[in-house]
Amino acid sequence: MKLTGAQILLKCLEEEGVDVMFGFPGGAVIDIYDEIPNSSVEHILVRHEQGAIHAADGYARATGRVGVCLVTSGPGATNTVTGIATAYADSIPVVIFTGQVPRALIGNDAFQEVDIVGITRPCTKHNYLVQDIEDLARTVKQAFYLARLGRPGPVLVDLPKDIQQQVAEFEYPDSVSMRSYKPTRKPHIGQIRKVVKLLKKAKRPLIYSGGGVITSGSHEDLTWLGQTLHIPVTSTLMGLGAFPGDDELFLGMLGMHGTYAANMAVNNCDLLLAVGARFDDRVTGKVDTFAPNATIVHIDVDPTSIQKNVSVHVPLVADCKPALASLKAETEGTLDEFDWAADHKPWVDMVQGWAKEHPLTYKDDSDSIKPQFVVEKIYEITKGDAIIATEVGQNQMWAAQFFKYTRPNTLLTSGGLGTMGYGFPAALGAQRAFPDKLVIDIAGDGSIQMCIQEMMTAVCNKLPVKIVILNNGYLGMVRQWQELFYDKNYCATCMDAQPDFVKLAEAYGAAGYRVTEKKDVEKTLREAFAVDKPVIVDIRVEKEENVYPMVPAGASLTEMLLV
Amino acid sequence: MSKHTLSVMVENEPGVLSRVAGLFSGRGFNIYSLNVAPTLEKGVSLMTIVAEGDDSIIEQIVKQLRKLVPTIKVKDLTELHSVEREMVLLKVNAEDSKRAEILRIVDIFRCKVVDVSVDELTIEVTGDQGKISAIINLLTRFGIKEIARTGNVAMRRSMQIDL
């Protein structure tokens, strides 16, 4: 079958099972857009390319499938860079198609030409410039393969305009074989047995779970391990939802804004089983004093993550799914002869004692609305049955601390890069994947303004995402640092001059609510969540509320500032 | 900090050198020298990279190189018996009174004179890093006007004999 490059691309997407892509047209991709009406792939028009990539990323995080976005050359392509880096930092499988000027003009500083392959080289897992129409189908196949395989990540395919117009025989490869890319997925059984031996010996074991557990779909085995072997579990921000957040063994996040119990547990455990987590500096605090008494086991599909920040005693290079399945299989046989519950009880009691001593809390002693109270209300109202996206900053941390994530893929947040403006378009991607789910973006008044234009995308595509703005009139997290470490020099963090968010929502054809009284919070949220269209709820919260606990940057995990 | 010689086999695709170089610059690793050329196998190139760092840095460099999609194989030759060679062209001041002495050094080091003019000699030196450093030291006093170095190329020895 002879097809044009544009037709070939769309056929490839159909072959990959892509049902939707997020994009923005331009001269360099007009041929592809010309073919979209003939394809089964739905296109969602965003209002800024950053929205397209974040939406594809949110779709990928919520579904576990590959997200797709399509943009034009030059500025269209560069506008996706923040989103590509976001997906790269959090290992999210996304394929980005960018238009490129015709091959004859490449390198000539042509109109809307940039070397996007060069620009995105450090923030993609891999990228391609298609230089021959005969390579197009194979390249697309490889892009999806690479985006999913091993440690997932964004893959960019740059498509010159003349390639889109050329004609070639379409044949989609059945499989991909790349001799240069064969990540180790299965664990070494000897290492697994070593871990089981260590688990049996440990008196104070702790599981430290990361986003890799969610990406690999191994949350059930992780939950089995924690619950059956009676091991307390702490999580990175990206790992929230992998272990039920309402389980007594769950300690919440560790690290800079982690719980007292989690940070104390890390400090006192004798075995730390890190699964799909990469010892980020926000997690470890001062590396020299991280888990000082523990033998550290690190399971990760990416060998570069092992021994990078923290010295590991037992490295285990493997995909979390086969690794945890193997650990489960090896420990199942011990259940008759070994009383895990009794053995770990003193430790579990100790950890739960810390949780009771300093639970996640806040002072709710005035009439003003505390942001934590709002997040708690969202949890109560939804009973945890919602997909939560967040922006970045204090809103993100409160959303992580005060909402209990009981299932994977329900928290969409920019963990590694900390991208303001991520949450709302990511929520749109998730809402498109799950039209019947309640999708809520917990936002700050600062970060919501970074991609607010996607409100039009939400309205046009009937994506009824609820934005709850914890509006404190500040870039709250930076203000908090200024308060604590810069003598309250609130330089450039006051956002008193704001749009009227209610009117703004209405201007786009969405619904807007404002809450200034504590008594109205629950009622308004319930009303907003019941509306079948996009909504902004602008909640005026206490202006100078801080996120606690807090481990100052560079301090040890035990040096926590508490409420 | 020590120097390690890494032999990196890569798919010979556009941008692969930039990917490798970008990996070093983006992560703050030091490259001492980098040499790249095609191998006998079509579509495959061999890079010889001399990198500096402590053990943990070298471990990260090796892992990060392996992580690059076009990388087929990475070997740290420092841990193996290997042959390492570099070629250097040196243009040296060589007025009549000094010429005989320079030619004697060229002879001792088994180098080649590849270009001659009235007051200059261009010398081709091939050898390991020690030999190259030694001859550069010896010729510096005559005045080296220009230098061009290939950087190391290296290969694992066929027989890995424990001495």
Side-chain angles (χ1 to χ4, degrees):
Chain A
M1 189 175 23
K2 292 260 186 199
L3 298 176
T4 64
Q7 289 168 329
I8 289 173
L9 173 67
L10 289 161
K11 282 278 176 217
C12 293
L13 298 182
E14 287 171 8
E15 292 277 349
E16 286 296 326
V18 174
D19 62 340
V20 63
M21 61 180 167
F22 302 87
F24 200 95
V29 280
I30 200 165
D31 291 274
I32 300 168
Y33 275 85
D34 194 46
E35 290 297 334
I36 286 177
N38 305 322
S39 165
S40 66
V41 181
E42 183 193 345
H43 175 267
I44 290 187
L45 173 66
V46 295
R47 294 302 185 270
H48 186 290
E49 289 86 352
Q50 188 180 350
I53 175 75
H54 288 328
D57 171 314
Y59 176 93
R61 290 187 207 227
T63 61
R65 301 171 62 191
V66 178
V68 179
C69 90
L70 169 66
V71 299
T72 191
S73 61
T78 52
N79 275 344
T80 64
V81 172
T82 300
I84 294 172
T86 304
Y88 187 65
D90 290 340
S91 309
I92 305 303
V94 184
V95 175
I96 306 102
F97 294 101
T98 50
Q100 182 55 276
V101 299
R103 281 172 301 165
L105 295 182
I106 291 176
N108 286 3
D109 298 331
F111 175 66
Q112 293 201 329
E113 183 202 354
V114 293
D115 171 16
I116 194 66
V117 168
I119 288 170
T120 59
R121 209 166 267 142
C123 62
T124 48
K125 184 172 170 185
H126 196 55
N127 56 18
Y128 297 90
L129 167 64
V130 180
Q131 304 223 48
D132 186 336
I133 180 94
E134 299 294 338
D135 293 338
L136 178 57
R138 185 179 51 81
T139 305
V140 176
K141 181 85 184 175
Q142 278 187 5
F144 277 85
Y145 174 81
L146 287 175
R148 286 188 201 104
L149 192 67
R151 181 177 179 168
V155 179
L156 182 139
V157 182
D158 200 22
L159 302 161
K161 184 168 168 141
D162 59 320
I163 294 275
Q164 298 165 38
Q165 294 168 334
Q166 277 184 354
V167 173
E169 192 67 36
F170 173 63
E171 197 177 336
Y172 202 57
D174 292 331
S175 60
V176 177
S177 173
M178 298 172 73
R179 64 175 165 176
S180 62
Y181 189 70
K182 291 192 167 68
T184 306
R185 301 193 58 225
K186 287 190 180 152
H188 188 281
I189 193 68
Q191 292 295 85
I192 289 282
R193 289 189 183 133
K194 204 185 269 182
V195 178
V196 175
K197 223 181 249 176
L198 285 170
L199 278 170
K200 279 182 174 173
K201 219 175 72 184
K203 296 295 170 203
R204 301 186 306 280
L206 179 67
I207 293 175
Y208 155 46
S209 140
V213 176
I214 292 175
T215 320
S216 66
S218 53
H219 55 280
E220 282 175 3
D221 285 338
L222 179 93
T223 305
W224 184 93
L225 274 180
Q227 290 177 340
T228 312
L229 309 185
H230 295 265
I231 304 175
V233 177
T234 181
S235 167
T236 65
L237 175 63
M238 297 305 300
L240 291 175
F243 190 83
D246 53 1
D247 192 293
E248 283 193 340
L249 285 164
F250 188 63
L251 309 178
M253 274 197 307
L254 77 164
M256 182 174 273
H257 293 298
T259 65
Y260 179 78
N263 286 341
M264 291 301 285
V266 171
N267 196 55
N268 287 279
C269 66
D270 63 358
L271 176 69
L272 186 70
L273 178 59
V275 193
R278 60 185 174 91
F279 297 96
D280 180 88
D281 55 285
R282 284 291 192 266
V283 155
T284 60
K286 191 176 175 188
V287 175
D288 301 345
T289 55
F290 180 77
N293 306 304
T295 300
I296 300 180
V297 176
H298 190 184
I299 303 175
D300 206 302
V301 73
D302 178 5
T304 62
S305 288
I306 297 176
Q307 306 286 22
K308 186 160 67 179
N309 304 327
V310 164
S311 180
V312 169
H313 305 91
V314 183
L316 214 160
V317 179
D319 187 289
C320 293
K321 193 162 175 127
L324 290 175
S326 193
L327 265 184
K328 182 184 172 189
E330 288 292 320
T331 45
E332 258 175 337
T334 67
L335 297 179
D336 293 337
E337 40 149 321
F338 198 82
D339 192 346
W340 293 96
D343 207 44
H344 293 162
K345 188 169 184 312
W347 167 239
V348 172
D349 286 347
M350 191 190 294
V351 168
Q352 287 173 346
W354 285 321
K356 283 196 189 93
E357 200 182 323
H358 291 292
L360 270 180
T361 189
Y362 56 96
K363 284 190 187 130
D364 197 11
D365 53 1
S366 65
D367 286 339
S368 63
I369 306 170
K370 291 289 178 141
Q372 301 95 325
F373 170 79
V374 177
V375 178
E376 279 180 340
K377 282 292 160 205
I378 294 173
Y379 179 68
E380 268 175 49
I381 295 166
T382 60
K383 299 185 181 66
D385 187 17
I387 295 173
I388 304 293
T390 80
E391 302 297 334
V392 164
Q394 288 184 316
N395 61 83
Q396 180 183 33
M397 288 301 115
W398 286 317
Q401 291 177 329
F402 290 91
F403 192 99
K404 294 188 180 76
Y405 301 90
T406 53
R407 283 178 304 283
N409 309 105
T410 53
L411 172 63
L412 319 178
T413 192
S414 170
L417 197 70
T419 308
M420 290 173 74
Y422 168 80
F424 180 39
L428 297 179
Q431 186 79 79
R432 166 57 185 74
F434 297 104
D436 300 328
K437 276 259 182 202
L438 179 60
V439 181
I440 302 165
D441 176 32
I442 296 179
D445 50 293
S447 46
I448 193 60
Q449 293 186 62
M450 288 222 172
C451 281
I452 191 72
Q453 74 287 348
E454 298 309 329
M455 186 53 88
M456 203 67 251
T457 309
V459 171
C460 285
N461 292 279
K462 299 192 168 39
L463 298 169
V465 168
K466 317 301 177 207
I467 301 172
V468 179
I469 303 177
L470 306 175
N471 187 341
N472 55 15
Y474 278 112
L475 299 175
M477 191 58 95
V478 187
R479 187 213 56 76
Q480 176 170 336
W481 282 50
Q482 288 171 330
E483 176 192 328
L484 297 174
F485 312 117
Y486 293 85
D487 294 331
K488 294 195 176 184
N489 179 15
Y490 294 166
C491 177
T493 45
C494 182
M495 298 281 263
D496 266 351
Q498 290 182 334
D500 181 330
F501 287 110
V502 174
K503 281 188 183 159
L504 188 64
E506 287 166 358
Y508 278 111
Y513 298 83
R514 178 165 298 112
V515 184
T516 54
E517 304 277 332
K518 195 172 168 184
K519 64 178 172 45
D520 296 330
V521 171
E522 183 172 345
K523 181 170 63 93
T524 311
L525 286 175
R526 281 185 189 281
E527 199 180 323
F529 294 168
V531 173
D532 190 22
K533 60 176 166 178
V535 173
I536 291 180
V537 189
D538 177 18
I539 304 183
R540 300 301 171 94
V541 299
E542 172 118 345
K543 287 178 77 68
E544 297 192 15
E545 183 67 10
N546 287 343
V547 181
Y548 290 119
M550 179 176 191
V551 177
S556 301
L557 288 189
T558 49
E559 299 173 74
M560 283 169 274
L561 308 174
L562 298 163
V563 175
Chain B
M1 295 277 274
S2 58
K3 281 195 186 124
H4 282 239
T5 305
L6 308 174
S7 173
V8 187
M9 196 180 276
V10 293
E11 298 280 0
N12 190 5
E13 60 182 42
V16 68
L17 178 61
S18 155
R19 273 180 219 285
V20 170
L23 184 158
F24 279 79
S25 62
R27 292 177 184 274
F29 301 142
N30 279 328
I31 297 182
Y32 181 77
S33 72
L34 191 158
N35 181 291
V36 57
T39 62
L40 288 178
E41 195 176 346
K42 199 178 168 210
V44 175
S45 286
L46 188 71
M47 292 186 180
T48 308
I49 302 172
V50 180
E52 281 180 307
D54 59 24
D55 287 351
S56 64
I57 288 175
I58 298 295
E59 184 183 339
Q60 265 299 312
I61 290 174
V62 170
K63 284 177 170 176
Q64 295 287 353
L65 284 168
R66 286 194 178 126
K67 189 174 164 181
L68 288 178
V69 171
T71 304
I72 299 166
K73 201 188 275 182
V74 183
K75 267 188 298 191
D76 185 347
L77 297 178
T78 319
E79 295 160 1
L80 302 164
H81 294 289
S82 58
V83 191
E84 294 189 19
R85 290 291 180 271
E86 183 175 8
M87 197 185 86
V88 181
L89 294 175
L90 297 165
K91 191 177 282 175
V92 186
N93 282 330
E95 59 265 31
D96 288 348
S97 61
K98 308 282 185 195
R99 191 162 290 216
E101 195 180 348
I102 293 172
L103 287 172
R104 242 192 331 271
I105 292 170
V106 166
D107 195 36
I108 292 166
F109 276 82
R110 277 174 278 171
C111 309
K112 266 193 228 163
V113 175
V114 290
D115 188 38
V116 183
S117 72
V118 178
D119 54 358
E120 287 170 356
L121 286 173
T122 303
I123 301 163
E124 175 196 313
V125 189
T126 307
D128 61 18
Q129 300 252 328
K131 177 178 170 182
I132 306 279
S133 301
I135 195 165
I136 289 175
N137 274 341
L138 280 172
L139 295 179
T140 299
R141 66 195 166 100
F142 302 104
I144 297 175
K145 297 181 81 175
E146 245 182 272
I147 184 165
R149 303 179 69 156
T150 60
N152 256 20
V153 289
M155 198 176 269
R156 176 181 179 274
R157 283 189 191 274
S158 304
M159 294 180 72
Q160 295 289 303
I161 302 166
D162 287 328
L163 296 172

